């Protein structure tokens, strides 16, 4: 009997590698390289940083004020150099250490300014604005929004009317909730208007996660023949009789508990989510909502035809403006791969009817592909879950369509590739899996994950051929 490769395991590792998603930046041309909203936002964050320093009685590193001066002048190289030095003292990244003059709630203001500027520095003006304003205009006033990726947090924070005053809605990030300094920062802005978890809530989330991880680890040790309950990339082990955890997967599972805490307490608010790492508890509640998701107050028994139709129409229009009017529900995987080879690999635009400014914009292709991969992931979860999937044939077709769009938007995206291959595997479409993997490898021939994926797929096809011959 032939066994399939564990694509879902690879995919979880890919998600872990995607966090945090930091754009590769090119220098902007001084203040003229950034829209005026961004410079006004920087000034507001500078003022907020001074208020935080006074409220928390923090001795702030002079380099933080130097950073804001450079940002206010639109001096991208100077602000980036300063930011990279400060990161090493933030205790937030691998290899960094804890300098109290940097690693405080004030640091969150720099993250938001830097990620917003980075989007414009790497992506120009058109697509960062389309991303940020597209999300902002879709969210009703008074809602709570979770921005998962760097652009999802930074751009929305920068382009909304007022972040600190929650005009028109509250903006948080699910990725930082397990950091007590971020919770202090969020409470300083919103704590008198919405419920933000306390230090005790954070400790409870950590304790609950540890208890659950211990049970799942014991299950995997005692029942090795059953499906593993520990997630790939979830680094949990016992040292001297004590459980220790580390890594992004574990942190995101703690973040998920804190998001649920906010969701459960703030019952009068609507909730909207831009996905980074999928948070499992959310899936039954999620509705596609333009570029992002709406988090419904109660679990949804199924996605209605109206919801799927609206999502289909929205993303068809988005992809037409970016890629041209060729990608239809009936477009084959082979034709999608032919488009990728022609436009992205060979740079042959003689028949391209989309926007050359999109396909040559690394920020744009990665960002919008990520968003479409997320909605395809929701559909795939619905198909695989025990919940009512509604019209399964329609949902299966929409899942395929979403993943083909995500791959065409960014064929270099590991998430677009591995999520689509995972879906194709569930449909026993090995030849299409190979087409996607082979085309993706042409875009990135040195990528070890893609090389391994293609080798395993080809090996499995050979096993099938030999089995059929006997």
């Amino acid at each position: 009997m032939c066994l399939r490769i564990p694509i879902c395991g690879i995919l979880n590792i890919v998600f872990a590698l995607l966090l945090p998603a930091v754009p590769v930046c090119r220098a902007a041309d001084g203040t003229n390289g950034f829209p005026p909203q961004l410079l006004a936002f920087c000034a507001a964050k500078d003022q907020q940083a001074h208020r935080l320093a006074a409220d928390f009685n923090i001795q702030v590193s002079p380099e933080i004020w130097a950073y804001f001066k450079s940002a206010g002048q639109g001096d991208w190289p100077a602000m980036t150099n300063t930011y990279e030095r400060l990161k090493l003292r933030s205790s937030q990244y691998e290899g960094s250490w804890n300098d109290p003059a940097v690693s405080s709630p004030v640091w969150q203001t720099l993250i938001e300014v830097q990620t917003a500027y980075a989007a414009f520095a790497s992506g120009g003006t058109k697509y960062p604005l389309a991303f940020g304003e597209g999300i902002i205009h879709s969210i009703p006033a008074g809602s709570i929004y979770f921005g998962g990726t760097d652009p999802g947090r930074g751009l929305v924070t920068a382009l909304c009317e007022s972040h600190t005053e929650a005009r028109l809605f509250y903006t948080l990030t699910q990725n930082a909730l397990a950091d007590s300094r971020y919770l202090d920062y969020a409470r300083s802005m919103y704590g008198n208007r919405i419920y933000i978890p306390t230090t005790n809530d954070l400790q409870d989330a950590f304790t609950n996660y540890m208890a659950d991880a211990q049970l799942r680890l014991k299950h995997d040790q005692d029942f090795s023949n059953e499906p593993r309950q520990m997630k790939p990339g979830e680094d949990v082990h016992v040292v001297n009789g004590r459980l220790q955890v580390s890594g992004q997967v574990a942190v995101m599972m703690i973040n998920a508990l804190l998001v649920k805490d906010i969701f459960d307490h703030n019952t009068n608010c609507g909730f909207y989510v831009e996905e980074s790492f999928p948070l499992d508890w959310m899936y039954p509640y999620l509705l596609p909502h333009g570029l992002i998701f709406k988090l419904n107050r109660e679990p949804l028994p199924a996605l209605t035809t109206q919801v799927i139709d609206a999502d289909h129409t929205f993303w068809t229009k988005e992809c037409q403006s970016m890629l041209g009017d060729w990608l239809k529900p009936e477009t084959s995987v082979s034709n999608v791969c032919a488009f990728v080879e022609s436009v992205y690999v060979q740079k042959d635009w003689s028949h391209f009817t989309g926007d050359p400014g999109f396909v040559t914009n690394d920020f744009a292709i990665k960002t919008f592909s990520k968003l479409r991969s997320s909605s395809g992931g929701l559909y795939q979860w619905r198909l695989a879950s025990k919940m009512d999937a509604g019209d399964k044939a329609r949902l299966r077709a929409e899942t395929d369509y979403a993943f083909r769009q995500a791959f065409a938007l960014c064929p270099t995206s590991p998430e677009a590739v591995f999520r689509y291959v995972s879906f194709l595997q569930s449909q026993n479409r090995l030849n299409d899996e190979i087409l996607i993997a082979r085309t993706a490898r042409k875009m990135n021939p040195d990528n070890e994950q893609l090389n391994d994926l293609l080798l395993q797929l080809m090996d499995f096809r050979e096993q099938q051929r030999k089995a059929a011959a006997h």
Side-chain angles (χ1 to χ4, degrees), residues 346-404:
Q346 299 171 8
K347 312 296 183 185
D348 178 5
W349 298 342
S350 57
H351 302 289
F352 179 60
T353 59
D355 178 11
F358 175 80
V359 295
T360 57
N361 187 321
D362 206 42
F363 166 86
I365 64 174
K366 290 179 178 179
T367 301
F368 284 89
S369 174
K370 164 67 179 172
L371 296 170
R372 190 51 170 152
S373 288
S374 295
S375 53
L378 171 61
Y379 291 153
Q380 186 176 14
W381 179 87
R382 282 272 169 186
L383 284 170
S385 73
K386 295 179 180 179
M387 299 183 72
D388 180 10
D391 184 345
K392 276 207 168 188
R394 172 70 194 283
L395 192 57
R396 191 177 297 111
E398 287 302 318
T399 307
D400 198 332
Y401 187 45
F403 285 142
R404 272 178 288 140

Side-chain angles (χ1 to χ4, degrees), residues 250-328:
V251 170
M252 287 307 299
M253 293 178 75
I254 296 170
N255 286 334
L257 295 174
L258 293 164
V259 173
K260 188 66 164 60
D261 204 23
I262 295 171
F263 178 72
D264 289 341
H265 277 85
N266 296 292
T267 56
N268 294 326
C269 296
F271 280 79
Y272 295 82
V273 180
E274 188 242 9
E275 183 184 84
S276 55
F277 196 107
L279 305 183
D280 292 343
W281 76 262
M282 283 188 180
Y283 272 131
Y285 300 81
L286 291 179
L287 281 170
H289 183 80
L291 294 173
I292 55 174
F293 292 125
K294 179 180 179 180
L295 191 61
N296 200 54
R297 178 49 58 184
E298 299 294 335
L300 298 159
L303 297 180
T304 66
T305 299
Q306 291 83 355
V307 166
I308 296 174
D309 285 347
D311 190 51
H312 178 103
T313 300
F314 176 85
W315 278 104
T316 297
K317 183 178 179 181
E318 289 290 305
C319 288
Q320 284 175 354
S321 69
M322 298 168 182
L323 302 177
D325 186 16
W326 62 273
L327 182 48
K328 313 286 187 183

Side-chain angles (χ1 to χ4, degrees), residues 59-69 82 86 89 101-102:
Q59 295 295 319
V60 175
S61 168
E63 279 200 280
I64 286 179
W65 310 128
Y67 171 86
F68 278 110
K69 181 178 180 180
T82 304
L86 289 168
R89 300 154 59 188
V102 176

Side-chain angles (χ1 to χ4, degrees), residues 52-116:
L52 288 167
D55 291 345
F56 286 92
N57 193 25
I58 301 166
Q59 295 295 319
V60 175
S61 168
E63 279 200 280
I64 286 179
W65 310 128
Y67 171 86
F68 278 110
K69 181 178 180 180
S70 297
Q73 296 169 345
D75 189 343
W76 173 247
M79 61 185 287
T80 299
N81 289 337
T82 304
Y83 184 81
E84 291 301 317
R85 290 194 302 271
L86 289 168
K87 271 177 64 175
L88 297 174
R89 300 154 59 188
S90 69
S91 75
Q92 190 166 342
Y93 304 92
E94 186 175 353
S96 64
W97 55 283
N98 182 35
D99 179 353
V102 176
S103 61
S104 71
V106 173
W107 175 245
Q108 300 301 322
T109 61
L110 273 73
I111 293 176
E112 288 162 348
V113 171
Q114 185 70 13
T115 52

Side-chain angles (χ1 to χ4, degrees), residues 77-272:
M79 61 185 287
T80 299
N81 289 337
T82 304
Y83 184 81
E84 291 301 317
R85 290 194 302 271
L86 289 168
K87 271 177 64 175
L88 297 174
R89 300 154 59 188
S90 69
S91 75
Q92 190 166 342
Y93 304 92
E94 186 175 353
S96 64
W97 55 283
N98 182 35
D99 179 353
V102 176
S103 61
S104 71
V106 173
W107 175 245
Q108 300 301 322
T109 61
L110 273 73
I111 293 176
E112 288 162 348
V113 171
Q114 185 70 13
T115 52
Y117 272 75
F120 287 101
S122 64
T125 301
K126 178 180 178 180
Y127 285 105
L129 284 177
F131 174 92
E133 293 178 349
I135 292 175
I136 289 168
H137 294 158
S138 74
I139 299 177
S143 301
I144 296 175
Y145 162 76
F146 288 99
T149 65
D150 280 356
R153 177 186 178 182
L155 282 174
V156 174
T157 300
L159 297 176
C160 66
E161 188 176 334
S162 172
H163 181 221
T164 56
E165 296 177 16
R167 296 200 307 263
L168 296 169
F169 50 83
Y170 303 93
T171 300
L172 301 168
T173 178
Q174 61 268 44
N175 290 6
L177 292 173
D179 185 339
S180 62
R181 295 163 300 183
Y182 178 76
L183 292 178
D184 288 341
Y185 171 71
R187 279 196 304 273
S188 73
M189 291 189 292
Y190 302 147
N192 62 343
R193 286 175 283 182
I194 60 172
Y195 186 85
I196 300 293
T198 65
T199 303
N200 288 338
D201 293 327
L202 175 56
Q203 183 59 50
D204 288 344
F206 180 78
T207 300
N208 291 337
Y209 167 74
M210 293 287 282
D212 177 66
Q214 189 167 19
L215 288 175
R216 291 184 290 112
L217 180 64
K218 188 175 188 308
H219 168 274
D220 292 349
Q221 292 170 342
D222 294 345
F223 303 100
S224 57
N225 293 328
E226 294 185 6
R228 285 178 53 83
Q229 294 187 0
M230 299 301 294
K231 290 179 176 287
E234 189 179 5
D235 188 4
V236 179
H237 49 275
V238 178
V239 177
N240 297 326
R242 298 186 64 182
L243 198 68
Q244 293 188 359
V245 301
S246 61
Q248 283 282 12
V249 176
V251 170
M252 287 307 299
M253 293 178 75
I254 296 170
N255 286 334
L257 295 174
L258 293 164
V259 173
K260 188 66 164 60
D261 204 23
I262 295 171
F263 178 72
D264 289 341
H265 277 85
N266 296 292
T267 56
N268 294 326
C269 296
F271 280 79
Y272 295 82

